């Protein structure tokens, strides 16, 4: 029997894998593997598959099984049950738009890196009290964007962020230039028409441009 492909080591930090974390919504699990291969080929190995569609868990499972160079994670994780489902599917990191004590406890015991979501200084302080240093800042543009994150850096230098929500390729470099930003989450390298038509070379080209965005 052919052994499964060897995966890259589990990341210590999701924030350091690439400047951009693609936020993927998959409606058809058959698209998962070619999409992941296109993103990896373009230089974006970390892939957040959001748990917003019935196909999401099957997509994570397919990528984890068939694209060993990808580091596939689950996004929109909002319950402890979703943590368990994502881990069973092969997710190698977890991302949430927000957090609760129960959700945070489940993410902590998952054994993989996780990014709980915050949008206020109080939420950041609460996570720091729990020993969490890496977070998702969401919804980034609506919650204050780069000026807000810059203002957090002086009083809360321990925290590092992956801002996500409304970020464009034009705005991404200003986020990436901040000392407390490790990467940004985005969808612009995943045009719906390219996915529908299976235009994976276009996805690969957009991913390559995104991978070069860090100043």
């Amino acid at each position: 029997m052919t052994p499964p492909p060897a995966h890259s080591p589990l990341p210590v930090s999701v924030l350091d894998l690439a400047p951009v974390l693609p936020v993927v919504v998959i409606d058809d699990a058959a698209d998962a593997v070619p999409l992941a291969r296109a993103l990896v080929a373009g230089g974006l190995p970390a892939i957040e598959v959001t748990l917003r569609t019935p196909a999401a868990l099957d997509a994570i499972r397919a990528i984890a099984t068939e694209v060993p160079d990808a580091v596939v994670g689950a996004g929109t994780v909002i319950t402890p049950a979703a943590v368990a489902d994502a881990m069973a599917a092969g997710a190698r990191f977890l991302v949430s738009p927000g957090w609760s004590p129960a959700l945070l406890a489940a993410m902590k015991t998952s054994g993989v890196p996780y990014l709980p979501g915050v949008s206020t200084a109080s939420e950041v302080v609460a996570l720091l009290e729990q020993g969490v240093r890496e977070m998702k800042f969401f919804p980034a543009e609506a919650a204050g964007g780069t000026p807000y994150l810059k203002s957090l850096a002086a009083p809360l230098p321990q925290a590092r962020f992956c801002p996500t929500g409304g970020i464009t390729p034009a705005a991404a470099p200003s986020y990436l230039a901040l000392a407390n930003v490790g990467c940004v989450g985005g969808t612009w390298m995943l045009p719906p028409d390219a996915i529908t038509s299976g235009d994976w070379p276009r996805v690969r080209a957009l991913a390559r441009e995104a991978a070069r965005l860090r100043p």
Side-chain angles (χ1 to χ4, degrees):
M1 188 168 72
T2 303
H7 288 85
S8 55
L10 192 70
V12 175
S13 170
V14 179
L15 301 185
D16 298 324
L17 292 174
V20 178
L21 176 61
V23 180
V24 181
V25 179
I26 293 184
D27 293 306
D28 184 347
D31 293 331
V33 167
L35 175 60
R37 286 174 175 158
L39 291 170
V40 170
L44 301 180
I47 301 169
E48 174 189 338
V49 177
T50 66
L51 302 184
R52 301 180 195 174
T53 69
L57 291 172
D58 285 339
I60 291 171
R61 190 174 293 108
I63 295 170
T65 302
E66 299 185 45
V67 193
D69 291 334
V71 181
V72 63
T76 321
V77 176
I78 59 174
T79 65
V83 171
D85 290 343
M87 296 304 300
R92 303 180 71 202
F93 64 90
L94 305 168
V95 184
S96 68
W99 67 279
S100 69
L103 177 59
L104 185 63
M107 295 175 92
K108 280 186 171 183
T109 59
S110 69
V112 299
Y114 55 93
L115 297 174
V118 297
S119 60
T120 69
S122 294
E123 291 168 336
V124 175
V125 171
L127 284 178
L128 291 173
E129 286 182 352
Q130 295 287 328
V132 179
R133 298 287 182 267
E134 297 187 344
M135 312 167 195
K136 172 178 177 172
F137 179 61
F138 177 84
E141 288 287 278
T146 54
Y148 192 92
L149 283 172
K150 188 174 182 179
S151 71
L152 291 180
L156 302 169
Q158 312 97 313
R160 295 180 72 217
F161 301 97
C162 173
T164 305
I167 297 176
T168 65
S174 63
Y175 281 95
L176 293 168
L178 298 177
N180 58 351
V181 170
C183 67
V184 301
T187 61
W188 69 85
M189 73 297 301
L190 303 161
D193 61 326
I195 296 175
T196 300
S197 65
D199 190 354
W200 310 124
R202 182 181 173 197
V203 172
R204 183 173 62 248
L206 291 170
R208 186 174 294 114
E209 293 173 6
R212 296 170 179 162
L213 280 176
R214 190 180 301 280

